[in-house]
Amino acid sequence: MPTTMIAGRPIDVNSEGFLTSYDQWDEALGATLAGLIGIEMTQAHWAPIRFLRADYPARGETATLRRVSQVGGFAIKDLFALFPGKPAKKMSYIAGLPKPKGCV
Amino acid sequence: MQRLVILGGGTAGTVVANKLRAVLGRHELHITVVDRDDAHHYQPGYLFMPFGIYNTSDIVRSRHKFITDGVDLVLTEIDRVDPTYKTVHLADGRTLSYDVLVVATGVAPRPDATPGMQGSEWGNSIHEFYSLDGAQKLTEAMRRFRGGRLVVHITEMPIKCPVAPMEFTFLADDWLRKHRIRDRTDLTYVTPLDGAFTKPVASRELATALTDRQVGLETDFAVESIDNDAKELVGFDGRRIGFDLLVTVPLNMGPDYIARSGMGDELNLVPCDQHTMASLAHPDVFVLGDGGTLQTSKAGSVAHFSAEVFVANFLATFRGQPATHGFDGHANCFIESGNGKGMLLDFNYATEPFTGEFPLPVVGPFKLLKETRLNHLGKLAFRWVYWNLLLPGRPIPLPGAMSLAGKRVEDDVSAAATGMPTAVAPASPTPTRPAPVTKPARPRLETKPLVTTSAKPAAGAPARKAGAPVPAYESRTAVNSTADPAVILPDPIIPKF
């Protein structure tokens, strides 16, 4: 597992670049991660990211788009507009969480 | 006398009832199985129906015949479970009290969950094969098919038998060739995943198998709706995929009584421990088969292996001994690849499917992730094994725990390489519900929870609500990696999206 410098801090990531430690993330890092994939964070972006962060610890897995939509109350269409193409993966990357699984 | 109530008389429910009845007498344990009807379906058989290989009589039997004497079989719908009072309310007004409850009602396809799926083309050019009725209708549609755009589609994960759509694609390719219309057919596989399958090595091998058959692969497709007039799948990202025949796997969900009971997540799946299958909210409720949240395939092999673990733990606890058995996530799946051949997948929580060999005395070894005649024969033979050995609870020569013997292990593709630990404990324990999610699971059973009236649940406690509420977000101070500075890479790794 590599460790890389991100936003001036040493951060543990997996081979794809996703964070592997929940506790190494803060919002400044999230904004930097977003920038790396061409997304500028706005309040609209932060809302689902904060939902993902709050939802993760008790469940131990990243919320799927369905959960973000049904439990978090975000419209999937909006998430596609905010995080174009692959919102589930982009959101989990920015939130410092693993890609959602639900898919074994 | 203890009372065990089993909701669902499918694979897991039947195995548990038969195995426990064989060991414990009627005066020691009262066993009740509840199901809505008396038809036990061999669900792996649905796949073969559209190609005329199996018909209904091959895959439907009476549940009654496969549940041993001395077990009450109650045929009615379930209204709801009241886990606080350990009671099941049936639709006909009866109630059943339990000391231990097994939820084994699985998941079912829900075409109504996708706008347009059940529109004017439903049953005409839009089909599914995850139900007997759907497989029968698709059989007719295949017979009428004369070429064009055949699209195989997965709505959303997780689904039961996640390799079945891939198998359908392989069998369709073979069937179209035999009917001499393959050259007039565009075959496309559409998945919400980022590859042909969920695990890297299997995904690579299966993607190759698709390419070899000139099957198009559309990945990361999140379906928003189906346009019946244009006959197109419409994605949230704006992609549109046209079809003349769509074979879709609708959203899979647990039954609605789970939601009415406040026990499920957004898909009516009951959150459960990865090793004991105990409900995280109610330690006297166990979830076997497809209806829980085990991070492994929803497959008959998982239902079977996890049921054996549950039975061993139940018996130990019943006798006042520690329950020491833990399920490892073992799944073992034959994959039909067409032309009389098949592949084999064998994996668990920690080990993804690899290539290599699967040793089995006398008939094996089977080749893993390679197309062979023997794997195909293994798949066909399994129907006999299912009815004659597995359901009655007789020993079958398949180890419950996965073994690495024969596997060609590849580096850095383990679960650990794909991210944080997800199977057991959250990376950052911020418990939000009374259930000890982050404690080792097994000790919970080492006492005698089966007979104690469970530690009085606070009425209306948060955990009663479906999936427990999401705690409020808090901004936190981050820590840095403790890695040796000498190995730290100067530049971030940016994922490819």
Side-chain angles (χ1 to χ4, degrees):
Chain A
M1 280 303 173
T3 302
T4 68
M5 293 302 290
I6 309 175
R9 294 172 45 213
I11 302 292
D12 296 324
V13 297
N14 69 10
S15 55
E16 281 186 275
F18 283 70
L19 265 63
T20 57
S21 171
Y22 183 88
D23 296 324
Q24 292 175 11
W25 186 92
D26 60 15
E27 293 202 0
L29 188 75
T32 304
L33 293 169
L36 290 175
I37 58 169
I39 290 174
E40 190 182 333
M41 296 298 281
T42 66
Q43 281 311 308
H45 290 88
W46 280 117
I49 297 298
R50 287 171 183 153
F51 171 79
L52 286 182
R53 291 289 302 179
D55 185 63
Y56 181 83
R59 300 178 74 246
E61 60 181 300
T62 307
T64 58
L65 273 191
R66 171 165 297 275
R67 185 169 172 84
V68 176
S69 155
Q70 285 196 357
V71 180
F74 301 94
I76 295 181
K77 199 83 181 164
D78 295 344
L79 299 174
F80 269 86
L82 292 166
F83 306 94
K86 301 179 183 179
K89 281 177 214 160
K90 287 184 175 176
M91 288 193 300
S92 56
Y93 175 71
I94 294 167
L97 300 173
K99 284 192 284 192
K101 292 192 144 189
C103 43
V104 190
Chain B
M1 183 168 60
Q2 283 203 31
R3 295 155 302 176
L4 172 68
V5 173
I6 301 170
L7 303 180
T11 307
T14 302
V15 167
V16 167
N18 289 343
K19 280 190 181 279
L20 286 177
R21 184 76 305 155
V23 180
L24 296 176
R26 298 178 199 203
H27 303 298
E28 296 175 284
L29 179 70
H30 188 266
I31 306 177
T32 307
V33 175
V34 182
D35 209 305
R36 66 157 68 97
D37 58 33
D38 192 33
H40 186 126
H41 294 189
Y42 176 61
Q43 295 188 63
Y46 297 157
L47 167 72
F48 293 100
M49 292 184 69
F51 307 103
I53 300 168
Y54 287 165
N55 57 39
T56 305
S57 66
D58 292 315
I59 62 176
V60 182
R61 298 276 187 279
S62 156
R63 290 190 200 281
H64 221 99
K65 274 178 64 178
F66 286 89
I67 292 177
T68 190
D69 286 350
V71 172
D72 283 352
L73 177 59
V74 175
L75 297 180
T76 183
E77 295 279 352
I78 300 155
D79 176 33
R80 68 194 158 87
V81 176
D82 186 339
T84 306
Y85 293 99
K86 297 187 168 197
T87 304
V88 178
H89 297 267
L90 301 175
D92 61 11
R94 281 183 286 175
T95 58
L96 299 170
S97 297
Y98 62 81
D99 297 295
V100 173
L101 180 72
V102 169
V103 172
T105 33
V107 294
R110 294 289 284 264
D112 53 315
T114 302
M117 195 174 277
Q118 286 185 311
S120 56
E121 288 300 316
W122 180 244
N124 293 315
S125 62
I126 304 176
H127 288 269
E128 59 93 16
F129 66 95
Y130 269 54
S131 66
L132 182 63
D133 182 53
Q136 286 168 333
K137 291 196 169 108
L138 179 55
T139 307
E140 289 307 312
M142 289 301 290
R143 281 190 191 137
R144 289 195 306 267
F145 190 67
R146 295 287 176 269
R149 296 163 301 174
L150 172 53
V151 173
V152 182
H153 167 246
I154 300 171
T155 300
E156 199 172 305
M157 299 301 285
I159 56 172
K160 55 185 158 185
C161 196
V163 291
M166 183 69 68
E167 295 179 278
F168 183 91
T169 307
F170 293 150
L171 288 172
D173 171 74
D174 184 28
W175 189 90
L176 293 165
R177 284 178 204 283
K178 288 190 173 126
H179 288 75
R180 298 171 191 274
I181 50 174
R182 182 65 183 91
D183 56 351
R184 278 185 270 150
T185 306
D186 277 332
L187 191 50
T188 306
Y189 189 79
V190 182
T191 171
L193 300 172
D194 59 4
F197 194 59
T198 55
K199 311 275 188 162
V201 173
S203 189
R204 181 189 72 206
E205 300 290 327
L206 291 169
T208 304
L210 288 178
T211 308
D212 290 348
R213 291 165 174 79
Q214 289 95 45
V215 177
L217 178 61
E218 284 278 349
T219 59
D220 294 297
F221 189 86
V223 64
E224 180 179 10
S225 63
I226 300 178
D227 183 334
N228 282 250
D229 296 330
K231 290 209 216 175
E232 288 174 336
L233 285 165
V234 182
F236 276 106
D237 60 2
R239 268 185 285 174
R240 298 178 80 95
I241 298 172
F243 59 83
D244 297 298
L245 176 59
L246 174 66
V247 179
T248 185
V249 179
L251 182 70
N252 279 201
M253 281 181 73
D256 289 335
Y257 84 82
I258 295 288
R260 288 196 294 270
S261 309
M263 296 169 74
D265 65 9
E266 64 279 2
L267 289 173
N268 297 346
L269 303 175
V270 182
C272 70
D273 185 274
Q274 299 293 313
H275 304 288
T276 65
M277 287 69 69
S279 151
L280 296 180
H282 309 286
D284 40 22
V285 176
F286 293 82
V287 196
L288 300 178
D290 300 332
T293 55
L294 297 183
Q295 287 289 319
T296 185
S297 286
K298 294 190 183 303
S301 54
V302 169
H304 166 220
F305 297 142
S306 61
E308 289 188 337
V309 169
F310 167 79
V311 166
N313 281 340
F314 183 93
L315 288 171
T317 310
F318 191 87
R319 293 168 175 145
Q321 296 159 355
T324 55
H325 298 266
F327 180 53
D328 68 349
H330 186 195
N332 179 287
C333 308
F334 287 107
I335 306 176
E336 273 301 291
S337 56
N339 203 20
K341 291 186 177 176
M343 305 188 223
L344 182 61
L345 287 182
D346 193 62
F347 60 99
N348 68 9
Y349 293 141
T351 308
E352 69 154 310
F354 287 121
T355 56
E357 290 189 340
F358 181 76
L360 194 64
V362 189
V363 287
F366 292 93
K367 297 274 188 205
L368 292 166
L369 271 173
K370 285 279 174 275
E371 295 174 44
T372 68
R373 177 92 183 140
L374 186 59
N375 285 335
H376 165 69
L377 295 175
K379 175 127 187 165
L380 292 187
F382 197 75
R383 187 171 62 97
W384 186 91
V385 171
Y386 184 81
W387 294 123
N388 295 285
L389 301 181
L390 194 150
L391 284 188
R394 299 196 180 102
I396 64 171
L398 273 178
M402 198 208 71
S403 158
L404 275 176
K407 291 190 171 60
R408 202 164 297 139
V409 176
E410 299 184 31
D411 285 343
D412 203 32
V413 282
S414 64
T418 62
M420 301 175 218
T422 55
V424 191
S428 172
T430 314
T432 56
R433 58 183 116 188
V437 186
T438 55
K439 280 192 204 155
R442 290 175 216 164
R444 195 184 307 153
L445 287 181
E446 284 172 4
T447 51
K448 292 173 265 164
L450 299 186
V451 278
T452 49
T453 32
S454 72
K456 27 183 162 5
R464 298 285 169 272
K465 290 277 172 242
V470 178
Y473 170 80
E474 309 170 29
S475 186
R476 303 157 34 127
T477 312
V479 299
N480 285 346
S481 168
T482 54
D484 177 357
V487 303
I488 296 174
L489 306 170
D491 295 315
I493 300 169
I494 303 171
K496 294 181 191 71
F497 287 104

